Amino acid sequence: MANIPTFYRIFFLYIDPLICLSGIYVLFFDHATYIANGVPHAISVDVVDPLAHFLLVGLGSYALCIFGIQILLLRQFPDLKIWKIVMFSILLTDLGLLYGVYAADPRGFWDIGGWTSGDWTNNGILFTVATIRSLFLLTV
């Protein structure tokens, strides 16, 4: 792991998987928390219908796959080329999630002053990890 900078090694092996694990938990077991914190407040609902439940569990399954890759593949193969491929792939997911937030409420997405605590939790984490992944890929 000598060719992977310490900050990125710690972040991608320990911190990022914990963030992912917390998302997996709420996507599978605590839909109310996810709706309150992970969905733009402009489209939040109070009741999770069967379709929303299905979609949340599906999203949780994708997160579970990413978690597995993070804790198994990255630990097994400390090769910079593999790490960059994995981080690029996860960055695409991050960007897709950010686009979803934007598409749901374009004005609210850019109105940072109007963000709720849930918006700050979701968008803040997404922007932060996407930025860290981008810097890693740019070899900064």
Side-chain angles (χ1 to χ4, degrees), residues 5-89:
T6 303
F7 171 78
Y8 295 119
R9 192 171 57 244
I10 291 169
F11 185 81
F12 294 135
L13 288 178
Y14 303 102
I15 298 168
D16 199 23
L18 287 174
I19 293 168
C20 189
L21 192 59
S22 70
I24 291 165
Y25 175 79
V26 296
L27 286 164
F28 276 99
F29 306 112
D30 191 1
H31 294 154
T33 297
Y34 186 79
I35 297 295
N37 296 311
V39 175
H41 68 276
I43 61 167
S44 290
V45 295
D46 294 327
V47 177
V48 178
D49 63 21
L51 175 60
H53 175 81
F54 169 77
L55 294 172
L56 291 172
V57 170
L59 185 57
S61 297
Y62 282 107
L64 192 57
C65 178
I66 290 171
F67 178 74
I69 289 169
Q70 289 175 319
I71 64 167
L72 299 172
L73 186 70
L74 295 181
R75 282 179 170 72
Q76 185 66 30
F77 298 99
D79 178 89
L80 185 60
K81 184 184 245 182
I82 290 173
W83 278 48
K84 286 195 173 200
I85 291 168
V86 169
M87 288 307 130
F88 178 75
S89 298

Side-chain angles (χ1 to χ4, degrees), residues 36-37 41 111-128:
N37 296 311
H41 68 276
D111 181 20
I112 296 172
W115 284 4
T116 65
S117 62
D119 293 330
W120 276 104
T121 300
N122 185 57
N123 301 345
I125 290 172
L126 279 171
F127 275 116
T128 300

